[in-house]
Structure formats: structure tokens, C-alpha cells
Amino acid sequence: MLSFTEENYLKALLHLTMEFEDKVEAGTNELAFYLGVKPATATDMLKKLKEKKLIQYEKYGKISLSETGRKKAIEILRKHRLWETFLYEKLEFTWDEVHEVAEQLEHIHSPKLVDKLDKFLGYPEVDPHGDSIPNAKGELKQSFKKTLSEVETGTSCKMVAVKDNTAAFLQYVSKLNLRIDTTIQVLSRQDYDGSMELLISGSKIMVSQKFAENILIV
């Protein structure tokens, strides 16, 4: 059985490598930054994960999940996203509250509980943030969606997920009356800083390029 910290490292590596279709490795500094720890701290943990054959890693080299490590990481991710869905749909947590609580619940080691939870929720395919939920076989449907920043001026799109799951960002998205499946029309774009004027539910708003880069659309 892995420690909470070891599980968090595996899940972080999965996040860092599954965001891009052709990326299978991550760097130590990249991982440390993502987890908010010092590179030396990350290096010590990577040695432990390597000893358990959960990653491929050489000092100063890139890190990749082994087959066993990836399977474990997907199990953790499945639990996390199912718990987020449960909290949101059944306990009426807001979408900016569920991540922190699910971070604690994902470490419960009971496959039967997770399968029962999945069945209770009706086998959901996406969580409240639009992210795919792995199924019981460990299959993860990963679609590499475009960001709002890539949409051409004068066209419309639909928000299907967010890249930034922090409470501050999700609260800001909610204040703009944006939800999963909301239609967005791009009215104009500023060449100077990439900011965009949008039409959402009949209201015009301005958003930054950084904001647009964290909204996933189809």
C-alpha cells in the first residue's frame, strides 16, 4: 500500500503527461513546481517510487510512469473524479469546493466502495469540471480539446471543461455566468495583450488571454 504522498506524486505525473497527446515524460523541476515542493524533495520521493518500480527515472533525467505506476495513478484519478461528482451532484457542494475534499477522499483504499460509488452515480463519464472519469477497467477517454484562446474572432464555441481547477479560478468563471456546455461567441481580440471580448448569455465581457487559455471548448 502506498502512502498519501506517493499517490499524490503518481497522480501529478499522470496529470503532467496526459495533458498533451505526445508527452510521456516530465522533468524533476516541472514536477516539483506542480506539487509546490523543492526539487531535492521531489528527487528523494522519485528514488522511492523507482525502487517500487512505479516510474522510470535516472538522476537529472526525465521521469515516466511504468505500466504499474500508470495503472495506479489512473485508479487514484478515478477515485478523485468520482468523489468530486458525488460531492457536487449528491451533497450540493459547489464546483470550486469539491477538489479539496476529493483530495482527501481519493486515498481511501476500497475498490468495492469505488465500484459501488460509480454504480450509484450512474457510471458518469465526466466530473463537474468536464474532465473524463476513468472506468473500472482503467480506460481513460482523453480528448485533447482546444482552448478558448485558439478560437477565431466572430465564431462561436461551447465550453466543455476547464484546465485550472483552483477555487479562485472556478469562482471567477461562475461570476461570469459560465458553466459546462455554455455557448460563447468571440466578438473581438486585442492584438496588444490577447484579451478577448465575449458574448455569454446575452452579456458582453472582457477576459484576459490567461483566462482564455484555461477554458476548454469544442
Side-chain angles (χ1 to χ4, degrees), residues 112-142:
K112 183 177 180 178
L113 174 61
V114 177
D115 289 341
K116 291 280 189 181
L117 180 63
D118 195 10
K119 181 179 179 180
F120 176 69
L121 293 169
Y123 306 103
E125 294 186 356
V126 295
D127 70 8
H129 308 120
D131 294 317
S132 297
I133 300 174
N135 63 24
K137 296 180 181 179
E139 297 167 337
L140 176 61
K141 295 180 181 179
Q142 188 64 20

Side-chain angles (χ1 to χ4, degrees), residues 2-200:
L2 301 177
S3 69
F4 287 9
T5 302
E6 289 170 332
E7 290 189 344
N8 287 338
Y9 269 74
L10 292 179
K11 191 179 69 168
L13 283 168
L14 182 64
H15 276 296
L16 290 171
T17 55
M18 75 179 183
E19 184 176 349
F20 303 101
E21 189 171 9
D22 58 351
K23 184 175 181 182
V24 295
E25 298 177 321
T28 303
N29 289 339
E30 181 185 15
L31 177 63
F33 179 80
Y34 183 89
L35 290 167
V37 300
K38 295 180 179 179
T41 302
T43 298
D44 289 340
M45 178 54 69
L46 291 171
K47 291 176 183 177
K48 294 179 182 179
L49 295 175
K50 181 182 178 181
E51 289 175 0
K52 294 185 177 184
K53 303 186 185 305
L54 295 169
I55 63 170
Q56 278 97 38
Y57 165 71
E58 297 296 335
K59 191 174 182 180
Y60 306 121
K62 293 291 185 179
I63 317 147
S64 61
L65 289 164
S66 67
E67 184 176 345
T68 302
R70 180 176 175 81
K71 180 181 178 181
K72 183 62 181 177
I74 289 177
E75 288 176 1
I76 300 164
L77 186 67
R78 178 177 180 236
K79 288 188 287 183
H80 181 94
R81 291 178 176 176
L82 283 173
W83 282 120
E84 284 190 331
T85 304
F86 173 76
L87 293 165
Y88 182 77
E89 292 187 356
K90 305 301 181 181
L91 299 187
E92 299 182 354
F93 279 68
T94 58
W95 74 334
D96 57 281
E97 295 174 325
V98 297
H99 180 73
E100 184 176 351
V101 182
E103 284 282 297
Q104 303 168 53
L105 294 170
E106 71 185 28
H107 299 293
I108 296 174
H109 296 285
S110 174
K112 183 177 180 178
L113 174 61
V114 177
D115 289 341
K116 291 280 189 181
L117 180 63
D118 195 10
K119 181 179 179 180
F120 176 69
L121 293 169
Y123 306 103
E125 294 186 356
V126 295
D127 70 8
H129 308 120
D131 294 317
S132 297
I133 300 174
N135 63 24
K137 296 180 181 179
E139 297 167 337
L140 176 61
K141 295 180 181 179
Q142 188 64 20
S143 55
F144 299 88
K145 308 173 186 73
K146 292 200 307 182
T147 65
L148 179 58
S149 62
E150 300 174 75
V151 178
E152 294 183 4
T153 302
T155 59
S156 295
C157 58
K158 182 171 69 174
M159 185 177 94
V160 292
V162 291
K163 289 179 67 176
D164 186 344
N165 286 342
T166 61
F169 181 76
L170 295 173
Q171 289 166 6
Y172 181 49
V173 173
S174 296
K175 286 182 180 179
L176 299 179
N177 292 319
L178 264 174
R179 303 285 187 277
I180 301 298
D181 292 332
T182 296
T183 297
I184 304 169
Q185 184 177 357
V186 179
L187 300 178
S188 65
R189 187 192 313 267
Q190 297 296 320
D191 292 335
Y192 173 68
D193 59 3
S195 59
M196 305 169 72
E197 183 181 26
L198 310 176
L199 181 65
I200 302 171

